[in-house]
């Protein structure tokens, strides 16, 4: 019997989760009931943020955050080129243009220097269709589980008066240390808003789902309004009144609601977040221990822990290795990575690449957002491969991946 395929990531649903959804199904509310508020309260407890607004998916969370930040036509948003397209698309949905920031090839994260370069470039090379010389929003992306240098980004944002939206889809449960204090990802200690995703490959799932966290009451109210068509029934906010049925549309919002079924699942999943995170950490340590030694370390290296903070506790969303960290060209790295991808696939291991730099996507080129050079992201992308990393992996699965990678590196020599 052949072994089951190992994906790079997948959910872990148990009977408790199933029971939670069934209970919601039998209740009076399939959507807009008490489960949404319970899920939001749990997110506040976990992140430490004051407010959470749960929405249909992580992309909707980014879209609403950009709208609440005031992004409109003519504005510019800066985000990392090493991210899922949604981080950049959200700026465009709101009418803004995109300027990409390069990343450190060893971490996949933006740095103070790459962000300052992106901000500075606006004065010399404006984004097509935008007059802005400073960004309306900066959307740092926490990558693979490690938070971006948020406390440094907060300084840059203050100088340019940009709104910071932390894309925390990879970092639920992560912490970082700045100035001797420890902060939680998505706590919004150094950002105005943070966005989360509950897609099945993320730390906890609702099927599809997302959320925005914030400590700012005005942003919270705006996000709530935009989530349901821009409609309010709050008597204290109505401009007119015409009876008990009356509601008002105050902004052009969307139907970005999440259902009670999904939130029942989400609350049940979040109850297991610490167990999931501990297991992800254990798997990362196992991989690290192998890859730090021969024969691996001359051919590949794990992602580095970012140097921006004295201590980062990753949430280990992805386990990325970089092939050919000291190779002389990106072409050489790319050849090694392709060979690895194919050899692993032949052995039932479905590795993945996170991410194809967004500045290379044809639709971003067409829109004029692809200019500039991104040597860090290009070098990172050439060699990067995400190996299986999900809490339900057994130790034997980790060994199976390590053995397959050993055959890959031995085929190089
Ligand atoms: C998953 C993800 C998103 C989008 O989340 P969805 O829930 O799939 O819409 C955005 N940004 C990053 C970095 C992600 O990994």
């Amino acid at each position: 019997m052949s072994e089951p395929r190992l994906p790079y990531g997948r959910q872990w649903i148990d009977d408790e989760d199933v029971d939670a959804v069934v209970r919601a199904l039998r209740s009076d509310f399939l959507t807009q009931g008490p489960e949404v508020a319970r899920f939001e309260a749990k997110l506040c407890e976990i992140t430490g943020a004051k407010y959470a607004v749960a929405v249909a998916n992580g992309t909707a969370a980014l879209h609403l955050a950009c709208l609440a930040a005031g992004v409109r036509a003519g504005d510019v948003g800066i985000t990392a080129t090493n991210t899922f397209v949604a981080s950049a698309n959200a700026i465009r949905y709101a009418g803004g243009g995109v300027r990409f920031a390069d990343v450190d090839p060893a971490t996949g994260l933006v740095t103070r220097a790459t962000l300052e370069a992106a901000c500075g470039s606006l004065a010399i090379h404006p984004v097509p269709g935008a007059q802005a010389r400073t960004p309306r929003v900066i959307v740092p992306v926490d990558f693979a589980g490690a938070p971006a240098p948020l406390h440094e980004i907060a300084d840059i944002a203050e100088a340019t008066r940009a709104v910071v939206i932390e894309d925390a889809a990879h970092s639920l449960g992560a912490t970082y240390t700045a100035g001797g204090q420890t902060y939680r990802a998505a706590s919004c200690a150094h950002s105005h808003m943070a966005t989360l995703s509950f897609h099945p490959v993320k730390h906890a799932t609702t099927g599809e789902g997302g959320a925005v966290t914030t400590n700012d009451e005005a942003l919270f109210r705006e996000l709530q309004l935009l989530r349901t068509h821009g409609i309010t029934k709050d008597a204290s906010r109505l401009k007119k009144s015409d009876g008990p049925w009356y509601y008002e549309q105050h902004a052009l919002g969307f139907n970005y609601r999440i259902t009670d079924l999904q939130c029942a699942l989400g609350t049940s999943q979040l109850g297991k977040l610490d167990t999931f995170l501990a297991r992800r950490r254990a798997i990362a340590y196992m991989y690290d221990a192998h890859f730090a030694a021969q024969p691996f370390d001359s051919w590949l290296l794990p992602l580095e822990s970012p140097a921006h903070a004295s201590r980062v506790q990753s949430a280990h969303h992805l386990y990325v290795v970089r092939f050919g960290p000291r190779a002389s060209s990106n072409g050489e790295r790319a050849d090694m990575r392709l060979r690895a991808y194919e050899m692993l696939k032949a052995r039932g291991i479905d590795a993945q690449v996170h991410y194809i730099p967004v500045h290379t996507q044809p639709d971003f080129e067409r829109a004029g957002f692809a200019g500039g050079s991104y040597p860090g992201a290009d070098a990172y992308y050439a060699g990067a491969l995400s190996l299986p990393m999900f809490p339900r992996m057994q130790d034997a699965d980790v060994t199976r991946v390590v053995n397959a990678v050993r055959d890959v590196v031995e085929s190089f020599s």
Side-chain angles (χ1 to χ4, degrees):
M1 207 181 82
S2 70
E3 293 172 291
R5 298 199 73 83
L6 277 176
Y8 83 88
R10 67 158 296 161
Q11 73 279 11
W12 184 350
I13 300 292
D14 65 13
D15 289 347
E16 223 173 78
D17 296 325
V18 172
D19 291 346
V21 176
V22 171
R23 268 198 308 278
L25 268 172
R26 295 190 197 284
S27 78
D28 289 339
F29 298 95
L30 298 188
T31 191
Q32 300 276 79
E35 291 295 342
V36 179
R38 268 185 74 201
F39 183 56
E40 290 171 338
K42 189 81 185 158
L43 287 172
C44 289
E45 181 193 315
I46 288 170
T47 60
K50 212 162 157 188
Y51 306 104
V53 178
V55 295
N57 55 65
T59 306
L62 283 159
H63 182 191
L64 293 190
C66 284
L67 287 173
V71 176
R72 299 292 182 268
D75 288 336
V76 172
I78 292 178
T79 191
T81 185
N82 179 41
T83 187
F84 184 53
V85 291
S87 321
N89 283 339
I91 298 165
R92 297 173 65 188
Y93 296 158
V98 178
R99 171 66 29 98
F100 289 107
D102 200 11
V103 299
D104 178 342
T107 64
L109 291 165
V110 297
T111 65
R112 176 191 279 275
T114 65
L115 264 184
E116 282 175 346
C119 290
S121 76
L122 292 176
I124 310 156
H125 305 289
V127 169
Q131 303 77 41
R133 298 290 183 272
T134 54
R136 170 72 56 197
V137 285
I138 299 176
V139 185
V141 180
D142 299 341
F143 183 63
L150 295 164
H151 56 296
E152 296 178 351
I153 294 166
D155 293 343
I156 296 171
E158 205 171 291
T160 59
R161 290 208 234 123
V163 174
V164 180
I165 301 168
E166 175 193 8
D167 183 340
H170 292 197
S171 59
L172 183 62
T175 61
Y176 60 101
T177 307
Q181 238 187 299
T182 299
Y183 300 94
R184 285 178 263 179
S187 65
C188 301
H190 298 103
S191 68
H192 299 89
M193 290 172 273
T195 63
L196 297 165
S197 165
F198 306 105
H199 180 278
V201 297
K202 307 288 163 67
H203 297 89
T205 190
T206 57
E208 296 281 357
V212 187
T213 56
T214 186
N215 294 319
D216 182 314
E217 192 183 348
L219 289 173
F220 169 61
R221 299 267 168 241
E222 185 70 9
L223 292 163
Q224 281 190 321
L225 193 72
L226 292 170
R227 170 175 62 181
T228 36
H229 311 276
I231 284 176
T232 183
K233 288 180 177 178
D234 179 348
S236 69
R237 301 173 77 195
L238 296 179
K239 299 181 197 302
K240 302 177 250 176
S241 185
D242 199 29
W245 57 84
Y246 187 68
Y247 58 80
E248 271 176 1
Q249 180 176 330
H250 286 180
L252 184 60
F254 299 84
N255 179 355
Y256 276 170
R257 291 188 301 263
I258 188 168
T259 65
D260 267 42
L261 307 183
Q262 291 170 300
C263 288
L265 174 58
T267 302
S268 177
Q269 284 266 298
L270 288 177
K272 291 174 282 232
L273 182 65
D274 287 344
T275 317
F276 290 165
L277 288 168
R279 182 62 193 153
R280 285 178 179 274
R281 200 170 304 136
I283 293 166
Y285 287 162
M286 276 188 267
Y287 276 139
D288 284 348
H290 285 286
F291 296 146
Q294 282 294 332
F296 300 103
D297 57 344
S298 32
W299 301 103
L300 62 89
L301 286 175
L303 273 190
E304 268 174 31
S305 196
H308 62 72
S310 52
R311 215 177 102 85
V312 161
Q313 175 64 68
S314 173
H316 300 289
H317 167 55
L318 300 172
Y319 191 87
V320 177
V321 292
R322 299 167 294 134
F323 282 93
R326 281 177 286 275
S328 57
S329 72
N330 286 344
E332 203 178 316
R333 291 187 181 102
D335 288 345
M336 294 165 83
R337 191 262 307 272
L338 176 61
R339 170 118 60 116
Y341 180 91
E342 285 176 340
M343 284 182 71
L344 292 175
K345 185 140 211 117
R347 294 178 53 162
I349 298 165
D350 295 320
Q352 187 55 277
V353 175
H354 299 92
Y355 286 99
I356 302 161
V358 186
H359 74 268
T360 67
Q361 291 291 350
D363 189 55
F364 282 83
E365 290 172 349
R366 183 193 55 73
F369 301 143
S373 78
Y374 305 92
D378 293 340
Y380 164 80
Y381 168 64
L385 196 64
S386 304
L387 301 178
M389 163 58 88
F390 50 93
R392 211 175 185 177
M393 272 180 91
Q394 306 292 310
D395 289 3
D397 296 325
V398 178
T399 309
R400 182 178 153 202
V401 176
V402 169
N403 287 339
V405 176
R406 181 178 286 111
D407 289 349
V408 170
V409 302
E410 280 170 356
S411 82
F412 292 151
S413 42

